[in-house]
Amino acid sequence: MTKFGERLKQLRKEANMTQKQLAKCIWVTKATISNYELYERMPPPEILVKIASVFHVSTDYLLGIEDKKQALDVSDLTDEEIRFLEMAIALLRKKSK
């Protein structure tokens, strides 16, 4: 979890967002974002999920558990479309082995 503040700041800057803009997106104060980036506080799970959603990354990436930043945003797809993608991914993984 030691990478959270660093990753949050990096993602925010890559998105050209100020602390105030990010704070507004996730319904916290600018000071709260500053505290997260300075490792003075850790967000509760519900805020962590909101941050991940804003930057389209996994919570594992934010916490430094995973190094892959890329995540698929399937929030606007139907269950059938998501199942299709899951099957396609499984086939591609099987093919690459």
Side-chain angles (χ1 to χ4, degrees):
M1 286 195 208
T2 60
K3 293 184 180 181
F4 175 74
E6 176 184 321
R7 290 211 167 153
L8 176 61
K9 187 174 184 175
Q10 175 191 6
L11 289 167
R12 182 179 58 76
K13 289 187 175 267
E14 286 174 2
N16 292 314
M17 293 180 87
T18 64
Q19 288 180 340
K20 186 175 181 178
Q21 290 169 323
L22 176 57
K24 188 175 181 180
C25 286
I26 62 171
W27 296 84
V28 298
T29 65
K30 176 194 173 295
T32 299
I33 300 299
S34 178
N35 285 331
Y36 294 160
E37 289 182 2
L38 295 172
Y39 300 94
E40 292 176 3
R41 286 180 50 195
M42 283 297 293
E46 62 273 7
I47 298 297
L48 186 64
V49 170
K50 286 182 183 181
I51 293 168
S53 178
V54 167
F55 296 118
H56 304 288
V57 297
S58 70
T59 54
D60 283 353
Y61 176 78
L62 281 173
L63 294 171
I65 296 168
E66 179 180 290
D67 286 331
K68 291 183 181 180
K69 181 165 70 170
Q70 186 177 12
L72 279 175
D73 181 8
V74 296
S75 59
D76 58 342
L77 299 179
T78 66
D79 287 344
E80 184 179 340
E81 292 167 332
I82 292 169
R83 279 192 300 277
F84 173 81
L85 288 174
E86 289 170 340
M87 289 187 324
I89 290 167
L91 285 171
L92 288 170
R93 285 186 176 139
K94 193 175 186 180
K95 180 182 172 186
S96 67
K97 285 186 178 182

